[in-house]
């Protein structure tokens, strides 16, 4: 059996499990009545939403449903992260987690994610690469491409002085604006090759597909007007394009639960 087929079977078993469905219903009920761990309930629904986004595309080939599920995941993610103090937010949210907002094709989801990204690592002087990447994604989400260009130039000059573990990532952001398309593609494909298939299979299709920033970076290229073609299963071409539309929450009662959290 091919690795992709094993992943999909793992995914189908998870999303169609009665235990999973019952857990989702309980999580929504907990949010509505304010019972138990609200963060835990949001996290549970968020994980399921990401899995359903995969299922909608790879099993049902329904891109609209896929984006709606990514939108649902992104909104839940923003709610969960906002419940945590800014100084600890990086412990539960990383720039790769912004993938849900990116693939939702929703300006609302991108705006909420940008608020989290802008200050995610601002207090960590020893993590300038993470700070740059997070802020850069936030700027692109907001459509502030001029600021993103200047930020990429500054980061590239700093990278010349000192390479780090995320030097390829920083270079990709520079190449989004100033590099040749071939070099941009090479950088994204290099990040694809860093994935570990054994870990991906063990942790499930959802985690495996989203474990590399390559998929997110390819989408960001589209958002800045650079169309790239990546010949890798970790970068589904259908996710990269498309216009923004008003998206739909996919859980019955979810909107009510979220509104109650804000009161």
């Amino acid at each position: 059996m091919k690795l992709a087929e094993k992943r999909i079977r793992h995914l189908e078993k998870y999303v169609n499990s009665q235990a999973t469905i019952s857990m989702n219903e309980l999580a929504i009920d907990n949010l509505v009545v304010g019972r138990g761990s609200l963060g835990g309930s949001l996290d549970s629904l968020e994980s399921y939403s990401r899995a359903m986004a995969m299922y909608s595309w790879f099993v049902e080939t329904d891109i609209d449903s896929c984006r709606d599920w990514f939108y649902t995941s992104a909104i839940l993610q923003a709610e969960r992260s906002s419940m945590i103090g800014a100084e600890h937010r990086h412990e539960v949210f990383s720039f790769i987690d912004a993938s849900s907002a990116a693939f939702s094709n929703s300006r609302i989801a991108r705006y909420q994610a940008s608020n989290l990204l802008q200050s995610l690592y601002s207090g960590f002087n020893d993590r300038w690469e993470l700070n740059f990447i997070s802020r850069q994604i936030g700027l692109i989400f907001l459509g502030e491409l001029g600021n993103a260009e200047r930020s990429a130039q500054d980061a590239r000059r700093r990278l010349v002085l000192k390479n780090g573990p995320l030097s390829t990532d920083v270079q990709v952001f520079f190449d989004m604006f100033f590099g040749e398309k071939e070099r941009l593609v090479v950088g994204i494909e290099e990040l694809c090759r860093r994935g570990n298939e054994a870990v991906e299979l063990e942790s499930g299709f959802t985690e495996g597909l989203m474990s590399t920033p390559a998929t997110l970076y390819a989408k960001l290229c589209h958002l800045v007007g650079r169309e790239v073609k990546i010949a890798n299963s970790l970068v589904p071409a259908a996710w990269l394009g498309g216009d923004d539309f008003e998206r739909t929450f996919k859980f019955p009662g979810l909107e009510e639960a979220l509104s109650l959290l804000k009161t």
Side-chain angles (χ1 to χ4, degrees), residues 38-192:
L38 301 184
S41 295
L42 289 168
D43 183 54
S44 175
L45 295 173
E46 177 191 333
S47 297
Y48 182 80
S49 297
R50 287 168 72 91
M52 279 303 302
M54 306 293 171
Y55 183 86
S56 297
W57 176 245
F58 289 99
V59 178
E60 300 178 335
T61 62
D62 186 338
I63 190 63
D64 287 329
S65 179
C66 173
R67 288 170 177 160
D68 283 343
W69 278 112
F70 272 130
Y71 172 71
T72 302
S73 174
I75 299 303
L76 289 166
Q77 189 178 72
E79 285 291 340
R80 178 173 58 86
S81 299
S82 68
M83 297 171 63
I84 299 170
E87 67 276 14
H88 296 294
R89 206 163 285 162
H90 68 280
E91 298 171 6
V92 299
F93 182 81
S94 74
F95 70 88
I96 296 180
D97 293 324
S99 297
S100 290
F103 300 132
S104 70
N105 283 32
S106 164
R107 292 182 182 180
I108 293 174
R110 293 200 302 270
Y111 175 79
Q112 292 196 9
S114 71
N115 290 335
L116 297 172
L117 291 162
Q118 291 295 319
S119 60
L120 198 59
Y121 290 97
S122 59
F124 298 86
N125 295 327
D126 59 335
R127 299 184 182 181
W128 77 267
E129 291 169 316
L130 282 172
N131 187 34
F132 161 72
I133 292 169
S134 299
R135 286 179 54 81
Q136 193 76 345
I137 296 172
L139 289 172
I140 293 172
F141 276 2
L142 291 174
E144 297 182 8
L145 302 188
N147 289 334
E149 282 189 22
R150 289 187 287 274
S151 178
Q153 286 180 314
D154 292 341
R156 183 66 180 84
R157 285 192 288 268
R158 189 168 183 175
L159 192 62
V160 170
L161 300 175
K162 183 180 181 181
N163 282 335
L166 296 172
S167 58
T168 300
D169 302 63
V170 175
Q171 183 65 50
V172 164
F173 278 103
F174 177 81
D175 290 336
M176 278 186 200
F177 294 100
F178 305 106
E180 296 291 334
K181 181 179 289 188
E182 291 76 11
R183 179 168 178 166
L184 178 58
V185 169
V186 167
I188 294 175
E189 289 181 340
E190 168 61 26
L191 293 171
C192 287

Side-chain angles (χ1 to χ4, degrees), residues 203-215:
S203 56
F205 192 88
T206 306
E207 181 64 25
L209 186 64
M210 311 302 281
S211 63
T212 168
T215 324

